[in-house]
Amino acid sequence: MTFIEKMYNRRSIRKFTDEPVSEEVMLKILEAGRLSPSATNTQPWHFIVARDRKEKEACTFGGFNRFAVDASFVVVGVYKKSEAVMEKYSLMDVTIALQSMVIAGWVQGVGSCWMGAFDDNKLRNALDLPADARIVGAIAFGMPAETPKQPPKKTLDEIVHF
């Protein structure tokens, strides 16, 4: 399968096996984030890796995201307001880096799912984040225990305008 075919087949994974993601693969995923582009090369990101149950539970929100506790690890992407040249760019840069990690995981056989619903204070306390840390998002990573079908998508004609 070519890289572009893998991209087209990527799905959000919410069910994980008990098989851990190897340290080597996890580091390659994190490296993809580190090497991502950023505005004026500021690299505003900080990545917190949650591996223990308490930290992963802090990434859940009510009934949402319960799958995070079964993930091998969760990456929480933040930037520090004090280090942000321009907040808008820092938000975009961290988002790009997190998506690079999603893709790096997928091409190595690791599934993931973005999580935007979380209790900011609960997550901040569980991960001992500094006051100036701005949480952009969290991504659960693990070995897929499901193969979801592609949900309906709009056609290019509906979303591309020349």
Side-chain angles (χ1 to χ4, degrees):
M1 186 179 293
T2 67
F3 178 80
I4 196 70
E5 289 169 329
K6 284 186 183 238
M7 286 286 303
Y8 292 167
N9 289 317
R10 195 211 62 79
R11 301 289 179 270
S12 292
I13 302 298
R14 293 175 180 86
K15 292 181 183 171
F16 302 106
T17 69
D18 291 337
E19 179 187 351
V21 174
S22 74
E23 191 81 9
E24 177 185 0
V25 169
M26 182 185 70
L27 290 174
K28 286 179 181 178
I29 290 168
L30 294 167
E31 183 74 354
R34 183 184 75 81
L35 294 174
S36 293
S38 64
T40 66
N41 198 34
T42 55
Q43 305 167 60
W45 42 69
H46 294 270
F47 308 118
I48 296 84
V49 180
R51 292 196 221 186
D52 73 36
R53 186 167 184 87
K54 181 182 172 195
E55 292 172 341
K56 292 187 288 186
E57 280 179 350
C59 297
T60 66
F61 183 74
F64 296 107
N65 307 337
R66 291 301 311 160
F67 55 85
V69 297
D70 298 324
S72 189
F73 63 96
V74 175
V75 174
V76 179
V78 306
Y79 66 90
K80 291 184 178 180
K81 189 167 176 64
S82 61
E83 296 175 357
V85 176
M86 293 184 69
E87 197 130 347
K88 175 182 174 182
Y89 295 131
S90 294
L91 174 65
M92 287 189 294
D93 292 341
V94 175
T95 303
I96 290 167
L98 290 170
Q99 183 62 17
S100 293
M101 290 185 208
V102 166
I103 295 165
W106 189 252
V107 300
Q108 295 179 91
V110 177
S112 63
C113 190
W114 275 84
M115 298 179 293
F118 47 81
D119 180 321
D120 194 87
N121 287 329
K122 181 175 145 185
L123 188 53
R124 185 175 298 284
N125 290 333
L127 300 179
D128 196 27
L129 298 177
D132 66 345
R134 300 294 181 255
I135 302 170
V136 175
I139 301 174
F141 289 92
M143 301 311 292
E146 64 177 345
T147 309
K149 292 184 178 180
Q150 174 74 274
K153 299 289 184 179
K154 294 178 180 179
T155 66
L156 284 176
D157 290 340
E158 294 176 279
I159 61 169
V160 177
H161 309 280
F162 293 97

